[in-house]
Amino acid sequence: GLVSVSGIRQSDNAEMIHAHGARIIRVENPRAQDALQSHAIESGIADRFIDVTVVNDGSLANLSQKMSQLWTDTQADNLSSRY
């Protein structure tokens, strides 16, 4: 089944998730990067644990389209590393 876990901010959490065969998807908003970098906990997860990055750089409709494509690709076991 599909399980969604939000708020993974530390590498030990990511290691445990990967150990159970799960994938980690990061949603990034380039417009918010400066604010996030000022909080140490937000930069705690190492990039090597990120399986897929979704870039939230457009409208809500654009993000919805990316998430729909991600879901389609997940079901087909054909994920890209970036959406």
Side-chain angles (χ1 to χ4, degrees):
L2 179 66
V3 175
S4 176
V5 178
S6 65
I8 302 164
R9 292 182 176 88
Q10 297 179 343
S11 293
D12 60 335
N13 299 138
E15 287 182 68
M16 185 269 307
I17 288 168
H18 275 169
H20 286 87
R23 295 182 181 117
I24 297 177
I25 300 168
R26 174 186 285 165
V27 178
E28 292 181 344
N29 183 334
R31 298 166 291 207
Q33 290 304 99
D34 291 340
L36 290 177
Q37 289 174 354
S38 67
H39 299 284
I41 192 92
E42 294 296 341
S43 60
I45 187 169
D47 286 341
R48 73 178 185 271
F49 293 112
I50 305 302
D51 300 299
V52 177
T53 299
V54 177
V55 181
N56 178 12
D57 60 352
S59 66
L60 183 57
N62 181 256
L63 179 60
S64 179
Q65 181 181 22
K66 289 180 180 185
M67 298 307 285
S68 291
Q69 186 63 54
L70 172 65
W71 176 246
T72 297
D73 292 352
T74 299
Q75 290 177 312
D77 199 25
N78 187 31
L79 283 175
S80 295
S81 62
R82 196 163 184 90
Y83 290 84

